[in-house]
Amino acid sequence: SILVGIALQEEYLDSLDQTIDQFFPEFFENRTAPEKRRITLRDLITMRAGLETTSFFNYGNWVTSSNWAYWALAQPMVSEPGTRMIYSTGNSHLLSVILTRATGMSTREFAERYLFDPLGIEWYIWPQDPQGYYFGGNNMALRPRDMLKIGELYLNNGRFRNEQIVP
């Protein structure tokens, strides 16, 4: 969500109300999925996409699939987009793919430019999916002092050392 906020500020994204179909034209090309076409960035951030979860009982199948984004998108709809909160790491991962496609740089490059470099975060481990997209929902390793810097951002409404990093 931090990176999405920055991408909105930097005008890589237009709005939280953008629908996801524009970021995955190859997925939606031959599918009639009107309810999935209505899923917005806001729905993904708030875990209200309506898709079956990729977490919990589905996590193993998801992370062993050959294409995590497609696997997440192919899940059945279990509620209307924007209504019921259903925790799903796949929602966050779709946001990472969207950031990569919207910015023309990997989520890692975007994070380094707009978040990590300004915070002085130099060491971290960030795994990738089979297509090379950086995990959007888990498994990033940061030093505790760097996690504190991100916590400080929240406490200070996006400011770090008198600089507005996150809108």
Side-chain angles (χ1 to χ4, degrees):
S1 64
I2 290 173
L3 296 177
V4 169
I6 293 170
L8 285 164
Q9 175 179 284
E10 298 297 322
E11 299 180 347
Y12 288 106
L13 297 171
D14 297 330
S15 161
L16 287 177
D17 296 319
Q18 282 181 267
T19 55
I20 65 168
D21 57 337
Q22 63 191 284
F23 298 103
F24 299 100
E26 69 284 0
F27 178 83
F28 287 102
E29 184 176 61
N30 296 318
R31 289 180 173 85
T32 56
E35 66 284 353
K36 290 182 182 180
R37 289 177 186 275
R38 290 195 310 269
I39 297 170
T40 65
L41 300 181
R42 183 184 315 276
D43 295 333
L44 293 177
I45 287 174
T46 61
M47 299 281 175
R48 296 175 191 269
L51 295 165
E52 177 68 60
T53 184
T54 61
S55 300
F56 313 113
F57 56 88
N58 276 332
Y59 189 78
N61 291 328
W62 177 54
V63 296
T64 58
S65 71
S66 62
N67 188 316
W68 293 10
Y70 282 13
W71 202 89
L73 288 168
Q75 293 310 293
M77 296 298 292
V78 293
S79 69
E80 279 294 311
T83 58
R84 192 172 121 218
M85 191 277 193
I86 302 167
Y87 181 84
S88 179
T89 306
N91 289 345
S92 300
H93 190 66
L94 289 172
L95 287 168
S96 178
V97 175
I98 288 167
L99 282 170
T100 298
R101 292 177 175 198
T103 65
M105 59 186 105
S106 72
T107 307
R108 180 183 183 131
E109 292 169 316
F110 185 79
E112 286 174 349
R113 179 181 297 177
Y114 291 103
L115 183 63
F116 295 164
D117 289 350
L119 295 179
I121 296 174
E122 298 173 349
W123 183 93
Y124 56 91
I125 297 170
W126 198 348
Q128 295 168 279
D129 75 3
Q131 280 63 52
Y133 294 107
Y134 287 89
F135 282 27
N138 62 328
N139 285 10
M140 177 185 276
L142 293 169
R143 295 179 296 192
R145 67 175 166 252
D146 292 332
M147 286 186 231
L148 286 170
K149 292 174 183 177
I150 292 172
E152 188 177 329
L153 273 178
Y154 280 99
L155 288 173
N156 294 317
N157 297 312
R159 295 184 70 76
F160 181 76
R161 296 188 180 148
N162 296 319
E163 181 183 353
Q164 192 75 40
I165 307 294
V166 181

